[in-house]
Amino acid sequence: MLRQLLAAAVLAAAGGATPLRAEPTTVTSAAPDRVSLSVYRAPYGRGAMNLRFLEGFALVTEHRRMRLPRGTAVLRFEGVAEGIVPVSAVIDGLPGGTIEKNRDARLLSPASLVDGTLGRRIMLTRTDKATGRAVSQEAKIVAGPRPGVIVQTAAGIEALRCSGLAEQLGYEGVPAGLSSKPVLSVTTASPAAATVTVRLTYLASGFDWRASYVATLALDGRALDLFAWMTLANGNDEGFHQAEVQAVAGRLNRVAMAIPQEASALRLVCYPLGTTTSDLRERTFEPAEPIESADQIVVTAMRMMAPPPPPAPPPPPPSPEDLGDLKLYRIAAPTTVAARAQKQVALLAQGPVPFERRYRRPVYPGERVDAAPTTIVLVLKNEKKDGLGVPLPAGSTALYAQRASGRLLLGLGVSTDRTIGETFRLAAGVSSQVTVTQVNAASREPVLTTPTAVGSHEAMLTVSNANPFAVTLDVPIGTAGQKIEAEGQEIDRMDGIVTWSPALPPGGRAELRYHY
């Protein structure tokens, strides 16, 4: 009887005790199975892109197949973009939802290795000054990684790489918390074990894109073919293989966020050592290639093989889609966007497109202009009936003329975003035959500075054409919205700017007096 009572007491105590909480299972996804990339331009991006300072961003959507255990688990998404904004991450497809989300792994780099090994033993290998041989010894990192690394050896405490001799550090292993890939982890609780497809969506910095237009004049000089490249730039250390890529044109209301760069190089600061001449620059020259004498040169006639036929042209890119007031350009085929690289894909192909040849020279009231040359532009109407009728994102332009001997470059320029119904201009060189002069209307002296007195001021514009053919000239005056009143002539507004557009006969000239 006593034994039965003791057994019942033990069982009761065991049943009433609080069980130990098991550690959550860790499930790692090394890479996405499918990825989509929507790249947004930098708000004020112009010209070439620097991969180290890309001010655009991307919306990344990854699909990953994962095996979830029953209960609580920590899911590790490896290989997310280095510039990920963790608070923007959204995870769909988890039966138990998301309990916790972390950007919890620092990237492996020389600086993070030193930081993670502070106070620990390492192996220091350096060159012996007496023998010139590499000697290894145990050391301990006592400070670092910025602005320098301080190590303690049997000889004492010293700064790393300040002796001028080769030195390197050897580590026993990677410190905890460091990863060779950026990692986002989430904690979830699944009611049952299951294999699911998880969709991870997040914003990431370090992306940008540009449009580059290539226009080729037809042989008759009456129309042109317009082709555009989209240049995608990825400044992250992670590439996106066979991604579904879209590019968004327009400007978002986005507040800039500082993204800390976790992976960094080891930059050491040392006191100057050596002599007063050790920092002088040395001029070195590569040895010249030996010049063979004429009797040693043998020329062998080779039969030229016919070049292979050109590949079939790619299918035309799809038309842009509306994204509110923005425009979305979709790449038809899956595209690999490599790490720290740029990639060009076809954006649009239109032609033949008729154009009008005009001359252009903007002026500002109060600006001194003395027989200034004008810019030759080809004006295209962005209308369906004129061969275009598609939104044209901002970018660079290059104009070529087709000749029997090949193509010749006529002009390089830039263009802003032009929607349907607006004018698209291509720079086609500079003309000194069509000139613009602006003088003070009262004294007929060149205007030196903008008058500061309140009230109306006058200026005189004179344009001339020395060509043996008639030309049309556009002279935008001032800025958009500025009040400009012409005397005796009707002037229109182009892109919100008052623009005088006289038609000049061969050897002709015209004048305009205006108030501002």
Side-chain angles (χ1 to χ4, degrees):
M1 185 66 181
L2 181 58
R3 291 181 179 178
Q4 293 177 352
L5 291 176
L6 291 175
V10 171
L11 291 174
T18 302
L20 296 176
R21 180 176 297 179
E23 290 293 329
T25 305
T26 299
V27 180
T28 300
S29 172
D33 301 311
R34 184 162 57 92
V35 62
S36 173
L37 199 64
S38 300
V39 184
Y40 293 74
R41 296 181 309 182
Y44 304 100
R46 293 291 185 273
M49 294 177 289
N50 186 343
L51 291 176
R52 297 179 58 188
F53 302 100
L54 297 177
E55 297 181 350
F57 65 99
L59 178 67
V60 184
T61 302
E62 301 178 353
H63 292 80
R64 299 175 182 244
R65 193 76 170 164
M66 306 183 73
R67 177 66 182 175
L68 303 182
R70 182 177 181 274
T72 304
V74 176
L75 310 183
R76 300 179 77 252
F77 300 96
E78 292 185 347
V80 296
E82 180 184 353
I84 183 175
V85 181
V87 295
S88 70
V90 178
I91 299 98
D92 299 318
L94 296 177
T98 302
I99 301 175
E100 185 179 279
K101 180 173 58 179
N102 298 286
R103 173 72 166 88
D104 55 358
R106 294 181 300 158
L107 286 180
L108 187 64
S109 69
S112 62
L113 264 177
V114 171
D115 185 57
T117 321
L118 286 177
R120 301 181 183 179
R121 293 287 176 179
I122 59 168
M123 188 62 65
L124 175 62
T125 302
R126 53 175 36 160
T127 302
D128 186 86
K129 295 181 179 180
T131 63
R133 297 178 179 177
V135 178
S136 299
Q137 60 179 324
E138 284 192 354
K140 182 171 69 174
I141 299 179
V142 297
R146 296 180 181 86
V149 177
I150 307 300
V151 295
Q152 182 179 13
T153 65
I157 296 178
E158 58 181 295
L160 182 67
R161 296 182 186 171
C162 289
S163 64
L165 300 176
E167 296 176 337
Q168 61 181 11
L169 303 180
Y171 303 87
E172 294 182 355
V174 177
L178 291 183
S179 173
S180 59
K181 300 179 180 179
V183 177
L184 179 76
S185 68
V186 298
T187 303
T188 185
S190 181
T195 299
V196 298
T197 298
V198 181
R199 183 175 64 185
L200 170 63
T201 304
Y202 59 90
L203 295 175
S205 62
F207 293 89
D208 207 349
W209 72 276
R210 295 282 191 277
S212 302
Y213 296 92
V214 180
T216 304
L217 287 174
L219 291 175
D220 58 8
R222 297 180 180 179
L224 56 82
D225 292 327
L226 185 63
F227 184 85
W229 290 105
M230 176 194 297
T231 302
L232 300 166
N234 175 20
N236 292 266
D237 286 330
E238 294 71 42
F240 300 86
H241 180 69
Q242 293 296 291
E244 300 172 7
V245 180
Q246 304 90 34
V248 179
R251 186 176 302 172
L252 293 179
N253 182 22
R254 178 173 180 259
V255 178
M257 299 181 63
I259 305 298
Q261 298 295 324
E262 299 176 356
S264 59
L266 195 60
R267 298 179 177 88
L268 305 178
V269 177
C270 297
Y271 291 102
L273 298 175
T275 65
T276 57
T277 60
S278 60
D279 292 331
L280 295 181
R281 294 182 178 179
E282 295 183 2
R283 300 183 64 185
T284 58
F285 301 90
E286 296 183 358
E289 293 291 336
I291 301 177
E292 297 181 354
S293 59
D295 56 355
Q296 294 179 340
I297 300 177
V298 179
V299 180
T300 303
M302 298 182 63
R303 182 179 180 182
M304 299 299 294
M305 301 296 294
S319 301
E321 306 171 19
D322 291 331
L323 187 63
D325 287 346
L326 307 178
K327 296 296 179 181
L328 183 142
Y329 298 84
R330 193 181 303 274
I331 306 304
T335 303
T336 297
V337 183
R340 299 284 180 183
Q342 298 185 18
K343 187 182 188 69
Q344 285 188 318
V345 294
L347 178 63
L348 63 87
Q350 301 286 120
V353 182
F355 62 87
E356 181 184 2
R357 181 186 176 96
R358 301 175 77 100
Y359 295 77
R360 185 178 177 86
R361 175 53 162 90
V363 298
Y364 295 93
E367 177 191 14
R368 174 174 180 169
V369 182
D370 186 10
T374 55
T375 302
I376 308 171
V377 294
L378 304 186
V379 180
L380 288 67
K381 295 181 179 179
N382 194 6
E383 300 282 359
K384 193 73 174 178
K385 59 183 179 61
D386 294 313
L388 278 179
V390 293
L392 302 174
S396 61
T397 64
L399 177 64
Y400 293 88
Q402 188 70 38
R403 293 292 184 268
S405 58
R407 295 198 306 174
L408 297 176
L409 178 65
L410 296 182
L412 301 173
V414 294
S415 175
T416 58
D417 289 327
R418 313 306 289 175
T419 188
I420 298 175
E422 292 187 322
T423 299
F424 184 74
R425 299 182 181 91
L426 292 168
V430 177
S431 173
S432 58
Q433 299 293 97
V434 181
T435 59
V436 175
T437 299
Q438 180 171 259
V439 297
N440 187 301
S443 62
R444 294 299 178 95
E445 295 293 332
V447 179
L448 298 179
T449 58
T450 302
T452 57
V454 177
S456 178
H457 307 274
E458 295 184 5
M460 174 71 77
L461 276 172
T462 302
V463 296
S464 60
N465 174 28
N467 287 309
F469 50 84
V471 301
T472 301
L473 175 63
D474 293 327
V475 185
I477 306 173
T479 57
Q482 187 172 3
K483 186 177 181 180
I484 304 292
E485 295 180 355
E487 291 186 4
Q489 298 186 42
E490 292 291 334
I491 52 179
D492 298 325
R493 287 185 179 268
M494 293 184 181
D495 300 330
I497 302 175
V498 171
T499 303
W500 180 38
S501 301
L504 302 177
R509 57 179 290 159
E511 292 183 346
L512 173 71
R513 185 187 298 264
Y514 69 90
H515 301 266
Y516 63 96

